[in-house]
């Protein structure tokens, strides 16, 4: 059987981003491969959100290159992103889940949307206005909306930053299920416990530079850099 | 006042005819202005190009276009010696529709841009992430902003149905043909036929109040729907 072409691995070469004369990312070199979730950590303002937007193609690098394993547009179609504050279209829950599927011309879109809502436990709310959902429900809808597309890669920017512990737990479960379904998760968080629970691989971004990248087990048990060790202890850096 | 009430209560023919024409002219003008103003406003909300700021400023200025000036411009266009004179539209309801549409199209376009620009600020990144270009963003914003845009259209209707200068100039206030509520009120008052003027004034007020109540109801519905 012929292996389906994939966008991953992605090789990132000397990635830079500057805005308004300020260097936000100062030359990042790393690779992203298929498999367990990659969690990007770092203090506030380190450049995590900017990095995700660059990888997803919402921002143009001011230096360096992204080498996808597929042509850029093709790679782009295989990605989805969920933002820190979910953007809810002024439509029903179901219509929100349907929107990107219709846009992508997906076959059997309605069934795919309903299935995705079912998987995140929102099937019963399908006809409700999306903006009337609670914060946790909105984030679950944003995840369902992305998951319905069956993306190869899903970028998540601090997906639980605004949620209470119960909603956070639900969202983490969904993220685990999405990863288990074969989607590569690339997410940022500044919540250490969450990083430990989810990460297969961990990256530490400090002041616009990639300080460390390692498999989760070694990153957390034997931090590869002094800064990573300090970060894990909760010293300085925040 | 009693006489005015009597005219309304008995459904006076001349009165009904005037009210009917007023509604037909203003509603058609709103539809025509919306067909241009909604997409134009939406396009301005989602695009950035050189000259855009100039268009936005011009639209905002045109919102304050005095009705008599709009009427004069359309008069010059439609008069026998004007560029569109051959169409024979001057002093017909068609001319009045054009004049009101010209008057409120900038209002609808400018308010649509303002409304949808705020929505676009919220949506832009997510829609780009979905892979939606301008061609998909415009209908998406028009649909998702539908409640706010309905109140924009109602504002346009209010302005159209209440103005007198433009329809007077291009319609001519011809009895039974181009006489609408505002022009009839102006004429009857000057003639001293206060009962008819008052009856029309009451109906016009009722329409304006109804439009405002409708606008409020739309806003309440939008709130309730979380839009
Ligand atoms: N589009 C932008 N233009 C200019 N500066 C930006 C932009 N986005 C983020 N920044 C700045 O870049 C730095 C990193 O931001 P961000 O990536 O949001 O940090 P993090 O997500 O790690 O907290 C911050 O100082 C922020 O103010
Ligand atoms: Mg961030």
């Amino acid at each position: 059987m012929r292996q389906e072409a994939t966008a991953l691995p992605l090789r990132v070469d000397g990635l830079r981003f500057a805005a308004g004369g300020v260097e936000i990312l100062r030359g990042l070199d790393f690779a992203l491969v298929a498999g367990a979730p990659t969690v990007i950590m770092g203090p506030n303002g380190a450049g995590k959100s900017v990095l995700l937007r660059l990888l997803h193609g919402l921002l143009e690098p001011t230096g360096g290159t992204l080498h996808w394993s597929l042509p850029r547009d093709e790679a782009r179609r295989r990605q989805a992103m969920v933002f820190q504050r979910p953007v809810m279209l002024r439509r029903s829950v179901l219509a929100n889940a349907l929107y990107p599927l219709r846009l992508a011309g997906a076959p059997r879109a309605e069934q795919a949307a309903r299935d995705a809502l079912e998987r995140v436990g929102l099937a019963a709310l399908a006809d409700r206005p999306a903006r009337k959902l609670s914060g946790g429900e909105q984030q679950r809808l944003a995840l369902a909306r992305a998951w319905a597309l069956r993306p190869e890669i899903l970028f998540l920017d601090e997906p639980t930053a605004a949620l209470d512990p119960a909603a956070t737990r639900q969202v983490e479960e969904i993220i685990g299920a999405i990863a288990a379904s074969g989607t590569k998760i690339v997410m940022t968080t500044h919540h250490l416990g969450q990083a430990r629970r989810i990460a297969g691989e961990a990256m530490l971004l400090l002041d616009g530079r990639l300080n460390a990248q390692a498999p989760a087990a070694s990153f957390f048990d034997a931090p590869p850099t002094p800064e990573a060790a300090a970060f894990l202890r909760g010293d300085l850096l925040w | 006042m009693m006489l005015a009430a009597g005219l309304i209560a008995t459904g006076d023919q001349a009165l009904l005819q005037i009210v009917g024409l007023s509604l037909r002219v203003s509603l058609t003008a709103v539809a025509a202005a919306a067909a241009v103003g909604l997409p134009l406003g939406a396009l301005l909300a989602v695009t950035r190009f050189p000259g855009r700021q100039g268009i936005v400023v011009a639209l905002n200025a045109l919102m304050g276009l005095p009705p008599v000036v709009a009427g004069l411009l359309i008069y010059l266009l439609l008069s026998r010696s004007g560029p569109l004179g051959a169409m024979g539209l001057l002093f017909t309801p068609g001319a009045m529709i054009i004049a009101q549409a010209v008057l409120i199209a900038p209002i609808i376009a400018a308010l649509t841009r303002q409304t949808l620009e705020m929505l676009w600020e919220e949506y832009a990144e997510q829609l780009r992430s979905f892979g939606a270009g301008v061609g998909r963003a415009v209908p998406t914003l028009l649909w998702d902003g539908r409640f706010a845009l309905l109140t924009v259209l109602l504002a346009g209707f209010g302005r159209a149905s209440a103005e007198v200068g433009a329809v007077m100039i291009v319609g001519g206030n011809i009895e039974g043909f181009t006489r609408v509520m505002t022009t009839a009120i102006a004429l009857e008052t000057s003639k001293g036929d206060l009962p008819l003027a008052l009856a029309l004034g009451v109906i016009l007020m009722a329409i304006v109040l109804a439009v405002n109540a409708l606008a409020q109801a739309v806003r309440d519905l939008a709130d309730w729907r979380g839009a």
Side-chain angles (χ1 to χ4, degrees):
Chain A
M1 216 174 82
R2 202 166 63 89
Q3 197 70 22
E4 200 200 343
T6 58
L8 292 172
L10 163 70
R11 191 161 50 78
V12 176
D13 249 359
L15 182 65
R16 291 177 174 275
F17 184 77
V22 182
E23 284 257 88
I24 296 167
L25 294 182
R26 308 156 184 251
L28 270 55
D29 301 285
F30 63 95
L32 284 178
V33 298
T38 294
V39 173
I40 302 168
M41 288 173 286
N44 263 323
K48 304 184 294 296
S49 298
V50 167
L51 175 57
L52 285 194
R53 285 180 168 81
L54 285 164
L55 295 177
H56 188 38
L58 293 174
L59 291 175
E60 283 300 315
T62 49
T65 325
L66 304 177
H67 300 280
W68 293 98
S69 302
L70 285 173
R72 184 192 143 112
D73 287 347
E74 185 53 35
R76 186 70 188 62
R77 271 194 288 279
R78 293 163 165 267
Q79 309 167 16
M81 178 158 174
V82 170
F83 298 87
Q84 186 164 342
R85 284 184 46 221
V87 180
M88 295 286 104
L89 302 179
R90 285 154 173 77
R91 305 173 182 215
S92 71
V93 167
L94 177 63
N96 264 273
L98 261 175
Y99 184 89
L101 287 164
R102 290 255 160 86
L103 198 66
R108 305 190 338 109
E110 168 141 7
Q111 197 52 49
R114 286 191 185 278
D115 290 348
L117 292 179
E118 183 78 47
R119 293 196 294 272
V120 304
L122 289 179
L125 303 182
D127 297 322
R128 290 262 290 275
R131 291 166 59 86
K132 288 285 158 169
L133 299 181
S134 72
E137 287 165 344
Q138 291 194 1
Q139 195 59 291
R140 277 150 62 199
L141 172 54
L143 287 165
R145 192 167 60 183
W147 195 2
L149 295 165
R150 297 282 176 190
E152 183 186 337
I153 307 147
L154 175 57
F155 296 106
L156 304 173
D157 195 5
E158 309 230 13
T160 63
L163 304 183
D164 62 37
T168 296
R169 200 163 49 247
Q170 288 177 317
V171 164
E172 286 184 10
E173 270 170 29
I174 293 166
I175 293 171
I178 297 175
S181 76
T183 292
K184 168 73 178 187
I185 301 280
V186 180
M187 72 177 259
T188 67
T189 183
H190 63 230
H191 189 311
L192 262 181
Q194 180 167 72
R196 285 178 191 273
R197 285 191 291 276
I198 293 175
E201 176 188 55
M203 291 169 59
L204 178 61
L205 205 57
L206 286 183
D207 199 22
R209 289 196 175 82
L210 183 59
N211 178 269
Q213 177 180 25
S218 67
F219 186 95
F220 292 113
D221 296 342
T225 62
E227 291 82 5
F231 184 81
L232 293 176
R233 279 197 309 272
D235 291 357
L236 67 143
L237 301 173
W238 294 86
Chain B
M1 202 64 211
M2 289 303 291
L3 287 171
L7 284 175
I8 297 173
T10 59
D12 182 74
Q13 269 307 309
L15 184 88
L16 283 183
Q17 205 267 334
I18 290 171
V19 172
L21 180 66
S22 297
L23 291 177
R24 183 163 73 82
V25 166
S26 294
L27 286 172
T28 313
V30 169
V36 176
L38 289 178
L40 176 62
L43 208 57
L44 285 171
V46 303
T47 52
R48 296 289 176 272
F49 56 89
R52 173 184 174 278
Q53 198 53 32
I55 298 178
V56 168
V57 170
L59 280 180
N60 286 339
L62 282 175
M63 281 174 73
L65 184 69
V68 285
V69 174
L72 178 59
L73 290 175
I74 300 305
Y75 182 93
L76 293 174
L77 277 177
L78 297 182
S79 72
R80 190 133 310 154
S81 52
L84 301 178
M87 295 170 74
L89 278 174
L90 198 59
F91 303 131
T92 66
M96 298 155 72
I97 290 169
I98 295 173
Q100 288 194 350
V102 165
L103 192 66
I104 62 174
I107 299 178
I108 291 177
L111 294 179
T112 298
R113 179 199 60 81
Q114 274 174 28
T115 304
L116 296 188
E117 211 164 75
M118 285 187 289
L119 195 55
W120 180 236
E121 214 164 278
E122 183 188 332
Y123 278 17
E125 228 175 18
Q126 182 69 72
L127 293 194
R128 285 214 293 133
S129 170
F130 289 152
V134 167
R136 291 302 290 260
V138 164
T140 298
L141 287 183
L142 286 172
W143 176 250
D144 282 29
R146 59 199 177 277
F147 292 113
L149 293 178
L150 204 50
T151 68
V152 167
L153 295 186
L154 290 173
F157 176 77
R159 166 111 162 139
S161 57
E163 75 82 25
V164 52
V167 285
M168 182 74 93
I169 293 175
V170 304
N173 196 23
I174 303 165
E175 185 170 9
F177 185 48
T178 60
R179 183 162 299 173
V180 290
M181 284 188 279
T182 54
T183 56
I185 291 172
L187 178 71
E188 302 305 337
T189 304
S190 66
K191 279 191 346 198
D193 184 354
L194 293 182
L196 183 54
L198 261 176
L200 286 166
V202 167
I203 293 173
L204 189 55
M205 277 299 297
I207 290 175
V208 169
L209 284 176
V211 165
N212 276 294
L214 194 58
Q216 187 57 49
V218 168
R219 277 192 288 273
D220 291 346
L221 178 66
D223 269 356
W224 178 73
R225 298 265 319 168

